[in-house]
Amino acid sequence: MSKFDREEQLKKLHEQRKQATKDKVEEAIKRLTKSSKAINFNSVSKEAGVAKATLYNHTELKERINFLRNRQERAFVHDRIKRDENNQNAVIASLKRRIEKLKQKNQQLEKENKKLRQKEKEKLADYFTKL
């Protein structure tokens, strides 16, 4: 009969559980990346079904999540700047169109005003000639 080493068995079991946890976390990160969701300790913890403390306690996982989170933040800022520039350009174009319409309306009103003043002058001239 071979000698049963309880300590050795516990170490193997611990390593298997540790590896299973790492695999679950890696799969969760892949799913989050594929669906373009935020990668941070909360989202990975929830997606993988592990405690946040587990993620913080495994140095490799902690570094990987920090790296991916920082990379996403930089990409988000870059995309946001682009969106803001595009939005700003659209607002500028819209305002230019509005200014042009207002200029045309102003010219039209000036012409009407000029005609009305001319009619008023004519009426006043007729009135005073009749006196």
Side-chain angles (χ1 to χ4, degrees), residues 3-127:
K3 187 176 178 185
F4 178 75
D5 188 359
R6 182 181 172 136
E7 197 172 306
E8 186 64 32
Q9 288 295 66
L10 287 175
K11 281 182 183 180
K12 283 182 184 178
L13 181 62
H14 179 70
E15 284 302 317
Q16 288 172 351
R17 288 176 56 200
K18 197 173 179 180
Q19 188 59 45
T21 300
K22 286 180 184 179
D23 292 343
K24 284 193 328 187
V25 170
E26 286 299 325
E27 287 300 315
I29 289 173
K30 285 179 188 176
R31 287 192 302 272
L32 290 170
T33 303
K34 193 173 186 179
S35 62
S36 299
K37 292 185 179 173
I39 295 177
N40 55 46
F41 288 96
N42 287 330
S43 63
V44 173
S45 165
K46 190 174 183 178
E47 185 73 24
V50 298
K52 279 194 286 185
T54 303
L55 302 175
Y56 284 108
N57 289 333
H58 286 82
T59 309
E60 317 152 3
L61 296 176
K62 181 180 175 182
E63 289 173 359
R64 180 156 164 72
I65 292 169
N66 279 327
F67 172 77
L68 292 170
R69 179 177 59 185
N70 291 335
R71 191 174 77 185
Q72 269 188 340
E73 285 174 358
R74 281 191 298 257
F76 175 74
V77 168
H78 181 68
D79 287 347
R80 186 172 179 183
I81 288 170
K82 273 188 170 179
R83 266 183 290 168
D84 288 348
E85 286 175 358
N86 290 340
N87 189 30
Q88 196 174 33
N89 291 339
V91 168
I92 289 170
S94 173
L95 290 173
K96 284 181 178 179
R97 287 190 302 270
R98 189 171 173 194
I99 288 170
E100 194 57 40
K101 285 180 183 178
L102 289 171
K103 280 182 181 178
Q104 290 172 359
K105 181 75 171 174
N106 194 24
Q107 288 173 349
Q108 178 188 354
L109 290 172
E110 283 176 353
K111 286 179 185 177
E112 278 183 43
N113 208 2
K114 190 174 182 179
K115 286 179 186 177
L116 289 172
R117 279 196 304 267
Q118 187 62 35
K119 283 183 181 179
E120 191 65 29
K121 279 184 186 178
E122 290 171 4
K123 284 183 180 180
L124 280 174
D126 286 345
Y127 175 77

